[in-house]
Amino acid sequence: MAVGRGARMWRFDAGRICLDLVATERAGGVPGTCEQLDGPGHLAQWLTDARLVPPGTALDALDDTWVVRFHELRSDVSRLMAARLGGPPADGALERVNSLAYGAPPGPRAVRGADGDLVRALSAAPDCAGLLAVVARDAVDLLTDPLARAALRRCQGEDCHRLYLDTSRGGRRRWCSGEVCGNRERVARHRRRTSGTTATNDPGEPGAFDPGEPGVRGPEKEIPPGVE
């Protein structure tokens, strides 16, 4: 699912909210990537679009301190997941995430909306610690769930750093999104093949067509402009 307003396009398709948060970071050395949570306004937008707070929730206390703390949690989660995938040890990250997960997340309640239907609201104004706790607990749940841990992947698309949970049939999913990175890979391969730079499309290559993967499109269709 992609949600966006103005200059930001969020994607919430990693399978866990903690991985969706990691996806907002700038990927070191990857062309075209940028810091998506670059100030209080964009953090407030992300928290709403991620459904950590209901639409219309006042976030009057949100300031640059919140942004720094979410950046710190994001970095720790990113390091923990990278370590899980064979990267360097994430010294100190687990202790910090555990400490944040200990906090009390904001309590939900059902209230009548303008049309009389029940909508979600929060029992009190959300604070930074409570919202950090939601993401930190999700990371703890992922890391302590054997099935989720085994499904953790990093996208094999060119210039993509996204982490995701592979829930596809047989665990054969190679990209964070078949409709984004997967389709880009097929389009690029099709162009190389038709230009004579490659003779075959080896189905065993990373990114080859997987009939079991949802959202697969043929190489003749390109990604709409602006989709990340």
Side-chain angles (χ1 to χ4, degrees):
M1 176 182 68
V3 180
R5 290 195 295 270
R8 287 293 184 269
M9 174 67 74
W10 318 117
R11 280 173 50 193
F12 299 100
D13 53 6
R16 301 299 284 258
I17 191 61
C18 65
L19 301 183
D20 290 327
L21 176 63
V22 170
T24 67
E25 69 183 347
R26 182 186 183 113
V30 176
T33 60
C34 63
E35 170 58 63
Q36 297 186 49
L37 303 181
D38 54 5
H42 284 136
L43 176 58
Q45 179 185 332
W46 186 85
L47 291 171
T48 301
D49 290 345
R51 300 181 182 177
L52 293 184
V53 299
T57 301
L59 294 169
D60 298 332
L62 197 161
D63 58 14
D64 289 332
T65 301
W66 287 43
V67 177
V68 171
R69 296 185 68 187
F70 268 89
H71 284 184
E72 291 171 347
L73 172 59
R74 184 181 64 183
S75 177
D76 283 336
V77 172
S78 179
R79 292 175 58 216
L80 285 168
M81 300 305 165
R84 171 65 194 170
L85 293 174
D91 296 335
L94 185 59
E95 290 74 14
R96 289 188 292 270
V97 170
N98 280 335
S99 178
L100 291 174
Y102 185 75
R109 62 191 182 105
V111 300
R112 294 289 177 187
D115 58 0
D117 287 338
L118 290 173
V119 297
R120 187 171 69 97
L122 299 180
S123 57
D127 61 7
C128 187
L131 295 175
L132 288 169
V134 176
V135 181
R137 288 184 180 197
D138 185 63
V140 170
D141 287 343
L142 192 163
L143 291 167
T144 57
D145 181 340
L147 292 178
R149 286 200 311 263
L152 182 65
R153 303 282 189 274
R154 190 177 295 278
C155 183
Q156 295 183 26
E158 184 178 358
D159 294 338
C160 186
H161 69 292
R162 288 177 180 267
L163 297 166
Y164 64 93
L165 294 189
D166 179 7
T167 57
S168 66
R169 184 175 62 227
R172 299 174 59 194
R173 180 175 159 195
R174 298 173 183 268
W175 308 292
C176 59
S177 169
E179 293 186 351
V180 181
C181 288
N183 201 53
R184 285 173 178 165
E185 177 105 3
R186 286 186 290 274
V187 168
R189 187 172 299 158
H190 174 71
R191 287 174 174 168
R192 291 194 298 269
R193 185 170 64 250
T194 56
S195 67
T197 56
T198 181
T200 63
N201 181 15
D202 181 358
E205 291 181 79
F209 174 76
D210 180 357
E213 180 182 348
V216 170
R217 298 183 295 184
E220 73 282 357
K221 296 183 182 179
E222 299 199 27
I223 296 298
V227 175
E228 298 179 352

